[in-house]
Amino acid sequence: MTRTPLSGVACSIARATDLFGDAWTALIMRDVLVGIQRFDELAQDLGLSRKVLAARLARLVEEGVLTREQYQTSPPREEYVATEKGRELYPVLLALMAWGDKWYAAPVGPPALVRHDTCGHVTTPVMACGACREPLTVADTTQLPGPGGRVGPGTRLLGPLIAERTERSPAPRT
């Protein structure tokens, strides 16, 4: 089944979803970021076909999210390592994990915990404001137009809605 490409939509969520719109890609990144980096290990852990895994890995390398690094010369073998772009996905995956833990964890609890190594505490990831460090929620945030925004496919109603907020939005505090 061919998907409609979202790379031309003036929305960062759409563009990111264009790459990460299937569960396998997110699970591949989860595995690579926690240390499962070799093709055979990824295939074994995820239980998906080698053809699907190869296609997803090739796309992640093409997009600069992963790189291939040789770990053995004879015979030549490579592993997949997250680039800076790939490592910056970790908070996104943690946010998705926290949401899944809240709404879909088994009665006994979540399948994995996250320890913040700096302080040693088991924690729950929180999306917070870069200025005041308060948690961000849908109730206390407003999307405003950005310099790359435009009305078009994927934003026909959203674009004007966000643009309208400029006039009625309070000035940012500095």
Side-chain angles (χ1 to χ4, degrees):
M1 171 160 136
T2 305
R3 289 189 320 112
T4 301
L6 301 174
S7 57
V9 176
C11 171
S12 296
I13 294 171
R15 291 173 181 164
T17 303
D18 196 45
L19 177 60
F20 292 97
D22 73 277
W24 291 124
T25 303
L27 294 175
I28 289 166
M29 287 307 300
R30 174 205 65 187
D31 278 12
V32 168
L33 289 167
V34 299
I36 301 172
Q37 299 175 313
R38 296 179 180 173
F39 186 92
D40 289 338
E41 293 170 343
L42 288 163
Q44 179 183 353
D45 187 56
L46 297 170
L48 78 158
S49 78
R50 298 174 74 78
K51 181 179 176 180
V52 170
L53 178 59
R56 297 306 187 277
L57 286 168
R59 175 87 191 274
L60 290 166
V61 169
E62 178 185 317
E63 292 288 334
V65 175
L66 296 177
T67 60
R68 288 187 181 110
E69 293 185 7
Q70 191 171 45
Y71 69 88
Q72 178 180 309
T73 55
S74 184
R77 301 227 186 245
E78 298 176 322
E79 60 188 4
Y80 294 88
V81 178
T83 62
E84 179 182 2
K85 185 177 180 180
R87 289 187 303 274
E88 287 186 5
L89 278 167
Y90 190 63
V92 175
L93 294 174
L94 286 179
L96 188 57
M97 179 181 153
W99 183 83
D101 287 349
K102 179 175 181 175
W103 295 104
Y104 294 105
V108 296
L113 301 173
V114 177
R115 181 187 64 225
H116 184 218
D117 293 337
T118 302
C119 71
H121 288 94
V122 172
T123 188
T124 301
V126 176
M127 178 64 71
C129 174
C132 72
R133 304 293 182 212
E134 288 293 315
L136 298 173
T137 69
V138 70
D140 63 12
T141 58
T142 301
Q143 290 195 17
L144 302 172
R150 69 183 188 299
V151 176
T155 61
R156 285 187 176 93
L157 298 178
L158 182 64
L161 175 68
I162 291 174
E164 169 187 307
R165 293 179 178 166
T166 302
E167 296 109 41
R168 50 188 176 111
S169 177
R173 290 181 235 157
T174 54

